[in-house]
């Protein structure tokens, strides 16, 4: 037929046709904006960075994404927002209360804090995408005992994790310095209130029973994407939930805090706040769902693991206990029973993750996960010496040496030599540990001002 002439084009698209087409496109665009349509990237993000749950690897993704797209981070003055105290908006660097400045809004809040919704909403828009990550309390306990042994008085007094879990009340004292690391650390990080018996010096005379069901992927929690904006005044009031055929909203004052209803109320409140909670044992599956929820590409969530300790077992399914020895299975059961609130959290969000996977499509997910892993492996082979994380003794470049803390060695990366300038830059971003990257972002958002002294004798000399 040949190319269309300008005259033919005008005939095909006359004033009326163009007007109708323009109206249709505007309507579609407005609808997509209104509904947060499938092509609209989510770039206002609140990530609750929980401890020892693979959160540093998620943080690395957010650092690189925000850095690449020129987004503005809500940064702490140092590396945490006053943890273990509850988050306060005043701890955000560059934050000015209403009328106190003309700074642009923040796009990403993602560094360690103890969650405090009311204060978070002073910093971030209420329609931000809220997400976090949880880990099987048994695996978390092993990592926390190694990492925080010098910080937690309970861990410090115990000769081993097995000895601690055999009789935790011989070592643990609620309120003692650093002992929030020793029990229900996830629950603590989410900023949830504790039942009164856990706040007393003596506590319960008997540890809670093991809540471990035979199979985790049984009943979905029903948690789905949040379809409403958050109310800053609803600090601890979950959205109304259906119970016994009618809607009800619970309050911490009206609950029997020692009963399971307290846990269920807390989980319902989290469902009303968080759009997605990742699961460390299904890390790659979680990343695929995150990319889908944010309308990001798969490359946006491809990265390397960070802050991993040598010999860690992150990524092992919580349901795969068949390969454990009887002694390790017993230790796992004790850890889950001692951290009973964390175990309830974990089971709940494991269910919600698999409900989302079912909605996403199992075969579709498996294909995306395989692609994600292939891209990560290709990047590792191209960027890294040995194609994997290395013992810190091999890392001489301080830009890539992770902060060493605890009794275990924190692994890091050494870059290949001979990379092109472009590849060198990309590989550096992938390998940069969280503290160094935070400093990089800090310098970018708050460049140091250098004032040179005036040399008056030269100014006035002939």
């Amino acid at each position: 037929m040949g190319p269309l002439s300008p005259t033919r084009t005008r005939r095909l698209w006359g004033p009326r046709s163009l007007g109708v087409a323009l109206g249709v496109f505007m309507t579609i665009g407005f609808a997509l904006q209104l509904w947060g349509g499938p092509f609209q990237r989510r770039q206002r993000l609140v990530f609750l960075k929980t401890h020892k749950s693979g959160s540093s690897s998620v943080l690395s993704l957010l650092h690189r994404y925000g850095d690449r797209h020129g987004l503005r981070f809500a940064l702490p003055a140092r590396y945490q927002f006053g943890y273990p105290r509850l988050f306060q908006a005043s701890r955000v660097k560059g934050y000015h209360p209403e009328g106190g400045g003309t700074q642009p809004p923040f796009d990403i809040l993602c560094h360690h804090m103890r969650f405090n919704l009311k204060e978070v909403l002073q910093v971030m828009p209420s329609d931000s995408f809220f997400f976090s990550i949880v880990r099987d309390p048994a695996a978390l306990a092993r990592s926390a005992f190694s990492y925080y042994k010098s910080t937690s008085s309970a861990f410090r007094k115990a000769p081993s994790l097995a000895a601690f879990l055999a009789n935790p009340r011989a070592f643990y004292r609620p309120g003692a310095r650093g002992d929030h690391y020793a029990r229900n650390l996830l629950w603590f990080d989410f900023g949830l209130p504790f039942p009164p018996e856990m706040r007393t010096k003596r506590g319960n005379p008997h540890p809670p029973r093991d809540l471990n069901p035979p199979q985790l992927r049984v009943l979905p929690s029903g948690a789905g994407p949040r379809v409403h904006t958050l109310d800053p005044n609803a600090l601890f009031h979950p959205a109304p939930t259906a119970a016994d055929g009618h809607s009800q909203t619970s309050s911490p004052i009206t609950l029997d805090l020692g009963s399971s209803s307290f846990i269920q109320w807390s989980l319902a409140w989290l469902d009303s706040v968080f759009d997605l909670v990742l699961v460390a044992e299904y890390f790659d599956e979680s990343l695929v769902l995150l990319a889908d929820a944010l309308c990001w590409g798969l490359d946006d969530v491809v990265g390397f693991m960070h802050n991993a300790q040598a010999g860690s077992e992150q990524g092992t399914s919580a349901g795969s206990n068949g390969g454990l020895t009887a002694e390790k299975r017993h230790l796992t059961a004790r850890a889950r029973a001692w951290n009973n609130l964390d175990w309830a959290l974990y089971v709940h969000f494991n269910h919600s993750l698999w409900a989302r996977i079912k909605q996403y499509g199992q075969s579709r997910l498996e294909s995306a996960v395989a692609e994600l892993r292939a891209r990560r492996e290709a990047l590792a082979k191209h960027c890294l010496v040995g194609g994997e994380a290395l013992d810190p003794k091999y890392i001489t470049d301080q830009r890539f040496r992770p902060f060493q803390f605890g009794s275990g060695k924190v692994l890091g990366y050494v870059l290949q030599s001979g990379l092109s300038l472009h590849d060198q830059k990309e590989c550096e971003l992938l390998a940069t540990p969280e503290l160094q990257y935070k400093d990089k972002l800090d310098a970018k958002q708050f460049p140091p001002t250098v004032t040179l002294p005036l040399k008056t004798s030269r100014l006035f000399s002939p």
Side-chain angles (χ1 to χ4, degrees), residues 167-184:
N167 187 15
R169 297 185 186 282
F171 308 101
Y172 175 83
R173 294 292 180 271
R177 184 176 179 84
D179 275 7
H180 62 282
Y181 293 117
R183 189 179 192 192
N184 292 314

Side-chain angles (χ1 to χ4, degrees), residues 304-305 376-377 379-391 394-395 411-416 431:
F304 301 150
M305 301 304 292
R376 181 191 294 138
E377 184 179 356
L379 280 171
K381 288 181 178 178
H382 182 67
C383 291
L384 306 175
V385 170
E388 62 182 0
L390 299 176
D391 188 291
Y394 298 113
I395 306 172
L411 305 178
Y413 301 103
V414 177
L415 297 188
Q416 296 270 23

Side-chain angles (χ1 to χ4, degrees), residues 68-283:
R68 185 180 298 116
H69 290 84
L71 303 182
R72 189 164 182 254
F73 287 83
L75 297 172
R78 298 193 68 186
Y79 300 106
Q80 299 183 359
F81 290 107
Y83 189 89
R85 291 180 291 277
L86 287 167
F87 174 83
Q88 296 293 319
S90 60
R91 292 187 176 275
V92 175
K93 191 172 182 179
Y95 167 73
H96 301 288
E98 190 174 344
T102 57
Q103 290 283 345
F106 295 106
D107 299 301
I108 300 178
L109 174 65
C110 58
H111 292 86
H112 270 314
M113 63 173 162
R114 188 178 182 207
F115 191 66
N116 183 357
L117 177 61
K118 188 172 184 179
E119 288 291 311
V120 166
L121 293 177
Q122 298 298 314
V123 177
M124 299 296 297
S126 61
D127 62 348
S128 298
F129 186 90
F130 282 66
F131 70 111
S132 187
I133 185 168
V134 296
R135 185 181 187 185
D136 182 352
L140 192 153
R142 288 191 290 271
S143 181
F145 186 84
S146 171
Y147 199 79
Y148 297 115
K149 187 166 177 58
S150 64
T151 305
S152 165
S153 61
F155 287 161
R156 190 166 54 247
K157 290 181 287 188
S160 66
L161 179 61
F164 174 79
L165 291 174
N167 187 15
R169 297 185 186 282
F171 308 101
Y172 175 83
R173 294 292 180 271
R177 184 176 179 84
D179 275 7
H180 62 282
Y181 293 117
R183 189 179 192 192
N184 292 314
L185 179 55
L186 290 172
W187 193 272
F188 183 88
D189 284 353
F190 274 96
L192 295 168
F194 283 82
E197 65 270 16
M198 290 190 177
R199 296 196 296 264
T200 61
K201 287 295 180 184
R202 294 184 179 272
N204 289 329
H206 305 289
R209 64 182 178 87
D210 184 10
L211 302 175
N212 185 11
Q215 173 55 259
L216 287 180
R217 290 184 282 154
V218 193
L219 298 173
S221 69
R226 174 168 43 82
V227 294
H228 59 280
T229 56
L230 297 175
D231 178 4
N233 296 316
L235 178 58
F236 276 126
H237 294 274
T241 56
D244 299 326
H246 64 278
S247 293
Q248 64 179 22
T249 301
S250 299
S251 158
I253 298 175
T254 61
L255 288 171
D256 174 9
L257 295 183
S259 69
S260 62
S261 61
F262 170 73
I263 295 177
Q264 295 306 314
W265 165 84
S266 300
L267 297 175
W269 182 79
L270 290 179
D271 280 341
S272 74
V273 174
F274 286 88
D275 297 279
L276 176 65
V277 176
L278 317 181
V279 175
E281 282 71 22
Y282 301 103
F283 189 74

Side-chain angles (χ1 to χ4, degrees), residues 308-310 385 388-398 400-405 408-415:
Q309 293 176 283
V385 170
E388 62 182 0
L390 299 176
D391 188 291
K393 68 181 179 182
Y394 298 113
I395 306 172
T396 57
D397 191 333
Q398 293 302 311
F400 307 119
R401 182 179 172 83
F403 177 63
Q404 298 298 310
F405 190 79
K409 294 179 180 179
V410 180
L411 305 178
Y413 301 103
V414 177
L415 297 188

